[in-house]
DNA sequence: GCAATAGTGTCTTTTAGACACTATTTA
DNA sequence: TAAATAGTGTCTAAAAGACACTATTGC
């Protein structure tokens, strides 16, 4: 079958919200090409592995999350990149995936002793390969999807308050949202938020009610992002 | 670089609206595997070709459209498929692309003397490889995008009436839309429709005004699809 | 004339956006 | 007590949806 063979990699755009800023997970490359540069985490697809399995395996390595835990995150295919000279080693096609995670209490681990770090997405310029572009595409996908899906909850822990959810929107969109209108909107969307018995503790004001994610995936009508 | 090399193909989900039905472009395979089966048009990526160029080249071959013509269609990357045994010849990754075209006046050509045909999308079951799945993903992408983008105009010729545009929505969503409310909605969206001096001829009733696509790409607020 | 389609206007209901007010916590 | 955050209610403006009416064509 033709001689045009490709190495196929999966690169991950892993996003979270910490301290009110949308952050991406980066690793520092130890070996050439681009040794010393920051890059998206990723790796090659194994011989009998499907793309999604490759992405899930790499994500698990990065977070060292026991699979038994409640899965609050989100993983989806983003796009593929195969410009002829994007990798000096040869023809490499990268199938980028987008992962949205809650701010992890345990620090993100480095599977192969590589240095990894969360970086605010507006301080990520200068990545290896075409990873600036891939990261920008992932961020834009996330921004768009918050409008018409319940995906913002993927950035929250399994139980969260409406304020936490609102701060996710504010961080991803870099907007301010009226807390009262936001509350009305999300609580009136059927299946978005399931109330729990407990309330948040440790805050400064009145303790807020805690919610879990409901079964709804779509928001209609959508939340409008107005910058 | 590891021995896990892939052949990389681009498959096309080419959609149009004809006679009030959303149709996909299929080709009948001449050679094994799946000889005699209907499949999505596609082919392998050439040695120094980018993915989008492969898709555009194959689309041009299918339509024999002179590149000088006004580009009314739309082409975007859809998703990649690489399940280990999806192709019996070996490990093949397919980067599916989605193309939206107006109903072509000239018949769609067969570049390699292959039989090709437009088929209503609900009569396409039983395609080769995993093409049923890819086609379904493409149709779902198109349905979703009509809601919040001006992409419906890609299904129309360069000049079209509001009725033609409405019939695109009705065919893709399989809904009925009130012509008067639809007209109000699309004409009040800035940059969606640019009026021309001419009017449609040959219809049964009062001749309708012809429009061209405007520069707008997003619809906000979106058109709601209610089945 | 009639049937068919185009185009405009009007009314009602729903939703978004702005913002007042009360409730419950910590310091 | 004040400061901070949670939660509810109210008003207004915009948009959606239903539908009456006029306009212009072919037959």
């Amino acid at each position: 079958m033709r001689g045009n063979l490709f190495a196929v990699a999966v690169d991950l755009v892993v996003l979270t919200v910490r301290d009110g800023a949308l952050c991406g997970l980066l690793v520092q490359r130890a070996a050439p090409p681009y040794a010393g540069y920051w890059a998206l985490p990723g790796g090659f697809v194994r011989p009998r592995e499907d793309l999604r399995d490759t992405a899930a395996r790499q994500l698990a390595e990065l977070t060292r999350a026991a699979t038994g835990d409640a899965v609050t995150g989100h993983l989806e295919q983003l796009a593929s990149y195969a410009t002829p000279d994007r990798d000096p080693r040869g023809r490499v096609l990268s199938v980028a995936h987008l992962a949205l995670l809650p701010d992890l209490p345990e620090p993100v681990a480095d599977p192969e002793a590589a240095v990894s770090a969360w970086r605010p997405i507006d301080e990520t310029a200068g990545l290896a390969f075409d990873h600036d572009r891939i990261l920008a595409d992932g961020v834009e996908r996330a921004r768009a999807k918050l409008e018409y899906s319940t995906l913002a909850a993927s950035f929250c822990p399994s139980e969260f308050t409406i304020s936490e959810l609102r701060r996710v929107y504010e961080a991803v969109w870099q907007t301010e949202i009226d807390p009262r209108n936001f509350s009305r909107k999300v609580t009136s969307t059927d299946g978005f938020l399931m109330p729990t018995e407990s309330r948040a503790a440790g805050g400064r004001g009145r303790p807020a009610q805690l919610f879990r994610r409901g079964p709804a995936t779509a928001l209609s009508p959508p939340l409008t992002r107005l910058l």
Side-chain angles (χ1 to χ4, degrees), chain A:
Chain A
M1 205 163 28
R2 323 306 203 285
N4 50 336
L5 292 176
F6 290 66
V8 175
V10 164
D11 288 318
L12 292 178
V13 177
V14 186
L15 302 179
T16 196
V17 173
R18 15 177 54 198
D19 304 323
L22 181 64
C23 296
L25 182 61
L26 301 179
V27 297
Q28 195 167 25
R29 291 184 58 81
Y34 291 100
Y37 277 70
W38 290 91
L40 298 176
F44 289 96
V45 177
R46 291 180 178 168
R48 290 199 50 81
E49 204 174 34
D50 205 347
L51 298 172
R52 196 195 160 78
D53 297 331
T54 306
R57 169 174 59 79
Q58 290 175 358
L59 190 58
E61 288 171 4
L62 284 166
T63 60
R64 290 197 195 209
T67 326
D69 280 27
V71 178
T72 52
H74 170 80
L75 178 63
E76 70 178 44
Q77 195 187 110
L78 178 58
S80 293
Y81 302 82
T83 306
D85 294 313
R86 61 182 294 277
D87 191 317
R89 292 169 293 184
R91 197 85 207 252
V92 179
L93 182 147
S94 169
V95 185
H97 284 66
L98 175 65
L100 311 181
L101 297 181
D103 191 9
L104 300 169
E106 73 272 35
V108 169
D110 38 305
E112 293 160 21
V115 181
S116 69
W118 290 111
R119 197 88 73 77
I121 48 93
D122 49 358
E123 301 171 16
T124 59
L127 299 183
F129 306 106
D130 49 1
H131 288 187
D132 284 325
R133 160 92 190 285
I134 299 177
L135 177 57
D137 289 349
V139 168
E140 184 46 42
R141 170 82 64 94
R143 285 188 170 139
K145 275 212 159 185
L146 288 210
E147 292 192 48
Y148 52 89
S149 76
T150 62
L151 230 56
S154 302
F155 285 114
C156 297
S158 60
E159 297 201 336
F160 55 91
T161 67
I162 292 183
S163 285
E164 289 179 290
L165 186 64
R166 175 171 49 83
R167 269 181 268 274
V168 166
Y169 277 93
E170 291 177 333
V172 176
W173 287 348
Q174 298 186 272
T175 342
E176 291 221 332
I177 300 176
D178 185 286
R180 299 155 295 185
N181 292 337
F182 180 81
S183 179
R184 169 160 47 90
K185 174 75 182 181
V186 294
T187 54
S188 69
T189 299
D190 244 41
F192 191 176
L193 300 179
M194 313 299 279
T196 71
E197 298 305 310
S198 32
R199 318 197 128 252
R204 261 196 296 273
R206 170 177 170 178
Q209 186 172 13
L210 286 167
F211 294 84
R212 292 181 173 278
R213 261 190 102 152
T217 58
L219 282 183
S220 68
L223 266 159
T224 43
R225 141 174 63 153
L226 10 110
L227 281 169

